[in-house]
Amino acid sequence: MVFAVNFFWTIARRREKHLYVAIWFYIATIVTVAVLYIVNNLALPVMVGLKSYGVFAGVQDALVQWWYGHNAVAFFLTTPVLGIMYYFLPKAADRPVYSYRLSIIHFWALVFMYIWAGPHHLLYTALPDWVQSMGMVFSLMLWAPSWGGMLNGLLTLRGAWHKLREDPVIKFLIGGITFYGMATFEGPLLSIKSVSALAHYTDWIIGHVHTGALGWNGFMAAGLFYWLVPRLWSSKLYSTSMANFHFWMGTLGILIYAVSMWVSGISQGLMWRSLNADGSLFYPNFLETLSPIHNMYIVRVIGGLMYFTGFVVMAYNLFRTIQRGKATNGFIEVTEVEAVLESSDSDEFYWWPIWTSIVGLVLMLVFFMADGLGATIAAAGLCLLFVVVWKYWKQATEGVKASHRSLEGRAFLFTVLVVIAVLIGGIAEIVPTVISQNEAPYTNGAADPYTPLELQGRDIYVREGCYVCHSQMIRPFVDEKLRYGEPSMAGESRYDRPFQWGSKRTGPDLQRVGGKYPDSWHVKHMTDPRSTSPGSNMPSYSWLELDKIDVGDSVVKLRAMKLLKVPYSASQIGSAGIHTEKQAQMISDRLREQGVRA
């Protein structure tokens, strides 16, 4: 909030009325993160400062949380770093941004499309199919603006590629942009349903995320520091050799980290799906799929340590740079904004739609093999779009460029239009599912509300973050049905706040584990996981034996749930404490019968 006030108040008091492209991305970052955070955190307080329950539950909560989760990455880790790219790369290269027209298309297409893509994290779940398909389609469409921005960054270096050999700042910035291109190619690829069926819940996703986080965010931040610190302290960088060492150590570390997770993830997906000739599971025990990837986790640690070592070297390098310099008194001398902003937009740009059309034709073939006719039609439409862009690019964008220049001097109007562009996608996806739930509560696999003790236990499950390693969403695949049971239904999670479908299976899915084992097994498993599951990498939760719950909280929690339309009666709420103790006593008696002290 303080940053937002400082940012917008600075814009309000600015002398230069024109808003440079980097500022557009920071405006989008601030307003979108605010919208995402507010909507995702709509909650009913239960115990002031201690506990609250979200207003969304089950399917709706899954959609809202991934609408938030995916786009928090987009507008916290992508758009502000694009702002860094558009400002610091031209500064470091002493070259204008390659294409002003392309920066306009890049910005508005990215801001509008990104917000729709969140449901691609929920493919093959209990989320309505139309929302899943919409998430996939918009994810595929994101290839265009993402790679348009990447090309705009890379081609800014035209005529100055020799600096890539000489200047570590350029190395980090170009390296970061390259990793951005890799991550934004892989993201839409993973959103294709057939690819997601293999990759989701595996380490492949971890590799994808860290390609972006370490390569794009980390390298762009390093480039910023290497450019900025010497100028802030009126000094030269202490050691160019150390900066180069940091770059190559970091690059190698990222590749080792990502490749190990790609290998691990694809291996996991294939092992989970493997069947014998008679249709039974080749790896019936989930733990059998953990030991083969153990070495990949060791390799991952090595890559991470190499990357971290590079940043330790950077910290020392910058510290010595600061030591031998002196703080700049006043503003850093910079060139005029217009010198960076204006670009040639020459005809050399127009070859771009040609090769992208060729790539589109190749993608048509890939999509046909991966997802059939529907995806092929989508790819064909993309190719047609590229052809149209190629033919009419200059005429169409000339008018856009002129009108957009006038908009760039009106900060309030610009901000309002960004908010509208962001809200369209959220409203179109979230509101219909909420309305359909309110008008016709889904009975698909409808579950009974939690008992008071179950609600207390579930709050502990949420508190301990068990969903980080376990999912509660069995997808409609043969192997998952054989391993875990019947696929999950929408109604089964209708009272879950927050939803617990998970996004990673470091351990097995827990949707059907209730009642599968005796109570004594669960006690032993929580205190010493290896005693019941040899080879498990789950940590011990032995301290939970001494943990206590406040029985009196049950009444407060049920009353809050009643306000959130969970069908508890007045008598159930009034006797919640008694019911909690009674059910706990029943479990305690069973444990004693099974030879466990309770």
Side-chain angles (χ1 to χ4, degrees):
M1 176 62 74
V2 173
F3 174 75
V5 171
N6 197 18
F7 178 85
F8 283 110
W9 192 248
T10 300
I11 289 180
R13 300 177 62 188
R14 70 193 188 280
R15 292 191 297 271
E16 169 57 56
K17 292 302 180 182
H18 180 267
L19 299 177
Y20 177 58
V21 59
I23 303 297
W24 312 347
F25 283 95
Y26 286 113
I27 290 174
T29 296
I30 294 170
V31 297
T32 308
V33 168
V35 169
L36 294 170
Y37 185 84
I38 291 170
V39 174
N40 186 64
N41 288 278
L42 292 173
L44 177 67
V46 179
M47 290 168 280
V48 178
L50 298 175
K51 182 67 180 174
S52 61
Y53 290 118
V55 300
F56 301 107
V59 172
Q60 285 72 38
D61 189 55
L63 178 58
V64 170
Q65 283 210 33
W66 273 118
W67 174 76
Y68 166 81
H70 178 79
N71 295 303
V73 170
F75 289 91
F76 187 73
L77 297 178
T78 301
T79 52
V81 184
L82 286 168
I84 293 174
M85 180 193 82
Y86 273 111
Y87 184 81
F88 285 96
L89 180 59
K91 286 291 186 183
D94 195 26
R95 303 289 298 172
V97 172
Y98 177 67
S99 173
Y100 176 54
R101 292 188 183 95
L102 185 55
S103 67
I104 297 173
I105 303 299
H106 175 208
F107 174 78
W108 288 106
L110 193 75
V111 168
F112 177 76
M113 290 182 189
Y114 226 124
I115 210 75
W116 297 74
H120 75 221
H121 291 273
L122 298 168
L123 301 178
Y124 293 110
T125 66
L127 191 73
D129 191 62
W130 69 268
V131 186
Q132 297 182 41
S133 298
M134 186 176 293
M136 184 186 78
V137 168
F138 273 89
S139 298
L140 295 174
M141 291 168 64
L142 274 172
W143 259 327
S146 297
W147 273 48
M150 177 195 69
L151 290 169
N152 212 10
L154 292 177
L155 294 176
T156 295
L157 210 59
R158 72 199 188 287
W161 282 102
H162 61 280
K163 293 187 177 183
L164 191 60
R165 296 190 302 270
E166 306 163 359
D167 189 348
V169 173
I170 297 295
K171 279 190 176 73
F172 277 100
L173 295 180
I174 293 299
I177 294 169
T178 303
F179 277 113
Y180 172 66
M182 293 170 59
T184 55
F185 176 82
E186 189 179 23
L189 175 69
L190 289 168
S191 72
I192 299 173
K193 283 189 172 182
S194 56
V195 179
S196 177
L198 174 70
H200 192 51
Y201 292 133
T202 76
D203 289 328
W204 187 351
I205 307 301
I206 307 301
H208 161 63
V209 170
H210 284 82
T211 300
L214 302 180
W216 166 236
N217 299 123
F219 272 19
M220 294 299 288
L224 180 155
F225 284 125
Y226 281 123
W227 187 89
L228 197 58
V229 168
R231 287 164 175 78
L232 288 174
W233 273 271
S234 300
S235 176
K236 288 186 177 181
L237 185 65
Y238 173 71
S239 172
T240 300
S241 298
M242 291 176 69
N244 287 327
F245 173 81
H246 173 197
F247 174 79
W248 291 112
M249 180 67 76
T251 300
L252 189 58
I254 294 169
L255 294 176
I256 290 174
Y257 190 113
V259 170
S260 67
M261 290 295 94
W262 291 338
V263 172
S264 173
I266 295 172
S267 298
Q268 282 176 311
L270 292 175
M271 285 188 289
W272 293 347
R273 296 159 67 100
S274 295
L275 301 176
N276 291 309
D278 62 357
S280 61
L281 290 169
F282 192 85
Y283 300 99
N285 188 337
F286 184 87
L287 293 173
E288 293 179 292
T289 67
L290 288 180
S291 55
I293 63 174
H294 178 73
N295 289 338
M296 290 297 101
Y297 288 163
I298 296 175
V299 174
R300 172 189 183 183
V301 171
I302 294 172
L305 287 174
M306 292 175 65
Y307 183 84
F308 179 73
T309 300
F311 271 84
V312 171
V313 171
M314 182 191 79
Y316 177 77
N317 199 1
L318 295 181
F319 174 72
R320 293 301 301 269
T321 301
I322 292 170
Q323 265 192 330
R324 71 180 192 178
K326 60 179 181 179
T328 300
N329 182 21
F331 296 103
I332 302 173
E333 185 178 348
V334 294
T335 57
E336 291 295 322
V337 173
E338 291 299 322
V340 178
L341 171 64
E342 291 298 342
S343 61
S344 61
D345 276 333
S346 63
D347 288 342
E348 67 175 305
F349 176 74
Y350 302 130
W351 52 260
W352 176 64
I354 300 176
W355 69 259
T356 48
S357 297
I358 296 172
V359 171
L361 291 171
V362 174
L363 289 177
M364 284 177 59
L365 178 61
V366 173
F367 290 171
F368 181 76
M369 292 186 294
D371 251 19
L373 182 61
T376 307
I377 294 173
L382 194 61
C383 293
L384 180 61
L385 176 62
F386 283 138
V387 172
V388 172
V389 168
W390 175 24
K391 185 172 179 60
Y392 297 107
W393 172 266
K394 189 169 185 177
Q395 302 94 306
T397 56
E398 198 62 47
V400 171
K401 179 179 176 181
S403 58
H404 201 271
R405 284 297 288 245
S406 64
L407 177 62
E408 290 159 21
R410 301 171 181 173
F412 180 76
L413 178 59
F414 189 96
T415 303
V416 170
L417 291 176
V418 170
V419 173
I420 292 173
V422 167
L423 288 178
I424 290 173
I427 292 171
E429 288 183 342
I430 296 173
V431 172
T433 58
V434 173
I435 292 175
S436 64
Q437 161 65 1
N438 292 337
E439 291 181 348
Y442 47 80
T443 58
N444 190 8
D448 294 327
Y450 289 106
T451 66
L453 183 62
E454 289 170 349
L455 186 60
Q456 294 274 18
R458 187 183 181 285
D459 286 347
I460 295 173
Y461 183 91
V462 172
R463 182 191 72 192
E464 299 302 325
C466 301
Y467 68 92
V468 174
C469 292
H470 294 282
S471 61
Q472 282 183 239
M473 176 52 61
I474 305 171
R475 298 175 295 176
F477 302 147
V478 172
D479 61 288
E480 296 201 10
K481 183 176 179 180
L482 290 172
R483 181 174 281 112
Y484 304 122
E486 292 297 321
S488 301
M489 314 278 273
E492 291 178 301
S493 58
R494 66 178 304 175
Y495 301 123
D496 282 350
R497 292 178 166 86
F499 85 112
Q500 295 291 294
W501 296 359
S503 60
K504 177 75 170 66
R505 281 181 181 159
T506 304
D509 189 277
L510 301 182
Q511 180 70 28
R512 308 282 180 227
V513 78
K516 184 177 181 180
Y517 304 105
D519 297 336
S520 59
W521 185 94
H522 289 286
V523 173
K524 294 175 183 177
H525 184 68
M526 294 300 292
T527 54
D528 182 12
R530 260 64 62 191
S531 67
T532 58
S533 306
S536 171
N537 54 9
M538 175 177 165
S540 171
Y541 286 84
S542 57
W543 58 269
L544 286 176
E545 286 187 293
L546 304 177
D547 195 25
K548 295 182 179 180
I549 62 171
D550 188 342
V551 175
D553 291 346
S554 296
V555 174
V556 179
K557 291 181 176 182
L558 261 66
R559 188 177 294 125
M561 286 293 186
K562 176 71 173 178
L563 291 174
L564 293 170
K565 298 185 178 181
V566 178
Y568 289 119
S569 65
S571 60
Q572 285 177 310
I573 296 174
S575 61
I578 298 172
H579 193 286
T580 300
E581 292 181 332
K582 183 178 179 180
Q583 190 174 14
Q585 187 61 51
M586 292 171 58
I587 296 172
S588 180
D589 293 342
R590 287 202 303 268
L591 285 172
R592 276 192 289 269
E593 292 173 2
Q594 296 167 15
V596 178
R597 181 176 59 85

